[in-house]
Amino acid sequence: MAAPQTFSLLALTLSLLALASTVHSHNITQILADNPEYSSFNSYLSQTKLADEINSRSTITLLVLNNGAMASLAGKHPLSVIKNALSLLVLLDYYDPQKLHKISDGTVLTTTLYQTTGNAPGNLGFVNITDLKGGKVGFGSAASGSKLDSSYTKSVNQIPYNISVLEIDAPIISPGLLTAPAPSAAVSNLTGLLEKAGCKTFAGLLVSSGVLKTYESTIEKGLTVFAPNDEAFKDDDVPDLMKLTQAEVVSLLEYHALAEYKPKGSLKTNKNKISTLATNGAGKYDLTTSTSGDEVVLHTGIAPSRLADTVLDATPVVIFTVDKVLLPPELFGNATSPAPAPAPVTAPTPSPAEGPSPTAASPPAPPTDESPESSPSDSPVGSANSKSANAAVAVSSPSLFTALVTLVAIAVSVSL
Ligand SMILES: *[C@@H]1O[C@H](CO)[C@@H](O)[C@H](O)[C@H]1NC(C)=O
Ligand SMILES: *[C@@H]1O[C@H](CO)[C@@H](O)[C@H](O)[C@H]1NC(C)=O
Ligand SMILES: *[C@@H]1O[C@H](CO)[C@@H](O)[C@H](O)[C@H]1NC(C)=O
Ligand SMILES: *[C@@H]1O[C@H](CO)[C@@H](O)[C@H](O)[C@H]1NC(C)=O
Ligand SMILES: *[C@@H]1O[C@H](CO)[C@@H](O)[C@H](O)[C@H]1NC(C)=O
């Protein structure tokens, strides 16, 4: 009888179908919300925006602390320190309980989200996982001489190969983690930070216009800065700032900051229009974002600007450099239209295989902006493009479906 093969093929097919229909990624806030014993941990994931970062990644393991174990951190340190401590619990690899107990040689160093932030000195963003005697698994900092102070207690949830949530009994503390200086010290010299990051022109404008004070006034509540580097101000596409009124310069500079904490992970998962400090009414002076891999692009409606470096990420303040001055349509909408469209260097070129055939849909050259992945605010060009993007998705799903149906058909015919 061929029945067993048929069933396993069918099972494979069904699970592939299930995978295909789960288009959206995980929501860690939702996963932990089902477990009130992690409410404190979950709340800090949201406050520090680590939840967004976790949701934007796959193949990760989150080590969670229950409310009791979280008590040693909660409320005892600045948010920026707690964020670092929790980042060390986001392993950039997938460990389910089985894999945890099958570590080759019984010990391994694994990289964490903390290592990717640039805040971790040396190898302090790595975690040592060691299979101890008696089925116990210990976790500790990778720093030499560190003890394995935390232990695996139980599995909380797994979405295979995307995210595994495991409970451990104590935070992993790397040397210096809890004694990092409070961000207020780092942030107190905003212009100094910007100058060091290669944004002297921008820093100078903030001071001369007085907008620096507006930035500083929102630091407590949250501040995100998109600082164009000095090269960006030399760009041919940048209109002559000398021709702007004082009020327009203020709006332009306020357009480069948000009165909220939006680190990279949050920008990556963002789907909405983002209000800036210049926003003075619905739909005014806002930004949209698009993501390609690890890259984030800001869209003003006139020209895209790529997020370059993170100068500082100290909850609730984050400072990025961007490679283009952000030009709000409210100031430059019609003035820059005749300017040549920026070369599509930053635009991801679709591979010939998945791109539409040139005859089928050759979109008209955009009059102003932008990359093929234009955001909704860049309409009408943007909306047309996003429609064709949706169409591409719609086409690929049925073809997957057809392939699966064919598989089932083969399975059935084999069994006959
Ligand atoms: C895993 O994550 C990827 C990317 O986020 C997503 O496309 C896929 O549907 C997810 N799989 C499951 C089973 O959730
Ligand atoms: C994740 O789940 C939480 C709690 O249910 C919800 O408030 C939040 O909007 C969800 N986030 C996303 C990105 O869907
Ligand atoms: C992990 O820590 C243990 C105990 O300190 C140590 O014996 C082991 O060599 C470490 N593992 C790695 C891969 O460094
Ligand atoms: C701010 O930083 C800059 C550059 O590091 C430095 O030159 C300046 O003296 C600092 N200002 C204050 C008030 O600390
Ligand atoms: C651009 O020009 C159009 C018509 O010429 C006008 O309706 C619109 O308000 C202008 N936009 C800006 C931002 O000045």
Side-chain angles (χ1 to χ4, degrees), residues 255 273-276 279 283-288 299-300 330:
Y255 190 58
K273 292 184 172 185
I274 301 173
S275 295
T276 66
T279 298
K284 289 281 178 66
Y285 287 102
D286 54 17
L287 293 167
T288 59
H299 302 269
T300 65
E330 287 77 5

Side-chain angles (χ1 to χ4, degrees), residues 189 191-193 195-196:
N189 193 351
T191 51
L193 273 177
E195 282 169 13
K196 269 194 223 150

Side-chain angles (χ1 to χ4, degrees), residues 77-92:
H77 300 280
L79 264 189
S80 57
V81 167
I82 294 181
K83 181 169 187 175
N84 287 342
L86 299 189
S87 305
L88 196 53
L89 304 183
V90 185
L91 314 181
L92 303 185

Side-chain angles (χ1 to χ4, degrees), residues 39-323:
S39 59
S40 172
F41 191 91
N42 203 8
S43 158
Y44 277 103
L45 284 188
S46 294
Q47 288 177 59
T48 58
K49 309 279 179 179
L50 273 172
D52 290 332
E53 185 66 52
I54 291 166
N55 292 343
S56 76
R57 289 176 178 265
S58 52
T59 325
I60 58 170
T61 302
L62 178 65
L63 306 174
V64 296
L65 303 166
N66 66 24
N67 294 341
M70 192 61 199
S72 63
L73 292 173
K76 300 210 166 63
H77 300 280
L79 264 189
S80 57
V81 167
I82 294 181
K83 181 169 187 175
N84 287 342
L86 299 189
S87 305
L88 196 53
L89 304 183
V90 185
L91 314 181
L92 303 185
D93 198 354
Y94 182 82
Y95 287 96
D96 55 19
Q98 292 76 25
K99 189 173 165 191
L100 212 53
H101 288 104
K102 271 192 228 142
I103 291 166
S104 57
D105 300 331
T107 181
V108 72
L109 297 184
T110 186
T111 184
T112 72
L113 195 57
Y114 186 40
Q115 187 67 33
T116 69
T117 59
N119 290 346
N123 68 346
L124 297 191
F126 287 83
V127 159
N128 175 328
I129 312 177
T130 298
D131 202 353
L132 301 165
K133 287 186 197 76
K136 217 177 137 186
V137 178
F139 293 83
S141 165
S144 62
S146 298
K147 292 204 184 97
L148 302 172
D149 279 335
S150 341
S151 301
Y152 167 65
T153 40
K154 63 178 183 188
S155 162
V156 178
N157 202 320
Q158 268 93 41
I159 299 173
Y161 311 115
N162 271 16
I163 183 167
S164 172
V165 183
L166 307 174
E167 189 198 81
I168 56 173
D169 64 357
I172 299 169
I173 306 297
S174 62
L177 182 73
L178 299 180
T179 50
S184 53
V187 170
S188 67
N189 193 351
L190 212 55
T191 51
L193 273 177
L194 290 171
E195 282 169 13
K196 269 194 223 150
C199 307
K200 249 188 155 114
T201 308
F202 183 65
L205 285 168
L206 286 180
V207 174
S208 62
S209 64
V211 173
L212 182 63
K213 293 212 161 53
T214 314
Y215 279 26
E216 285 170 346
S217 69
T218 183
I219 281 176
E220 299 261 297
K221 194 175 120 210
L223 172 68
T224 301
V225 178
F226 302 114
N229 56 38
D230 291 339
E231 285 306 305
F233 279 97
K234 294 179 194 147
D235 205 294
D236 288 343
D237 293 339
V238 176
D240 188 355
L241 299 184
M242 302 304 277
K243 292 198 180 128
L244 298 181
T245 66
Q246 174 66 14
E248 287 170 336
V249 170
V250 166
S251 296
L252 178 64
L253 295 172
E254 288 180 349
Y255 190 58
H256 285 77
L258 320 174
E260 61 177 322
Y261 175 58
K262 250 192 193 311
K264 194 168 178 187
S266 304
L267 292 169
K268 277 203 272 183
T269 50
N270 172 63
K271 299 272 179 288
N272 303 317
K273 292 184 172 185
I274 301 173
S275 295
T276 66
L277 286 179
T279 298
N280 54 2
K284 289 281 178 66
Y285 287 102
D286 54 17
L287 293 167
T288 59
T289 55
S290 67
T291 305
S292 162
D294 195 45
E295 188 166 290
V296 173
V297 179
L298 304 173
H299 302 269
T300 65
I302 292 187
S305 180
R306 203 178 53 89
L307 212 65
D309 297 319
T310 304
V311 178
L312 174 86
D313 182 352
T315 326
V317 177
V318 60
I319 301 174
F320 301 105
T321 55
V322 293
D323 66 358

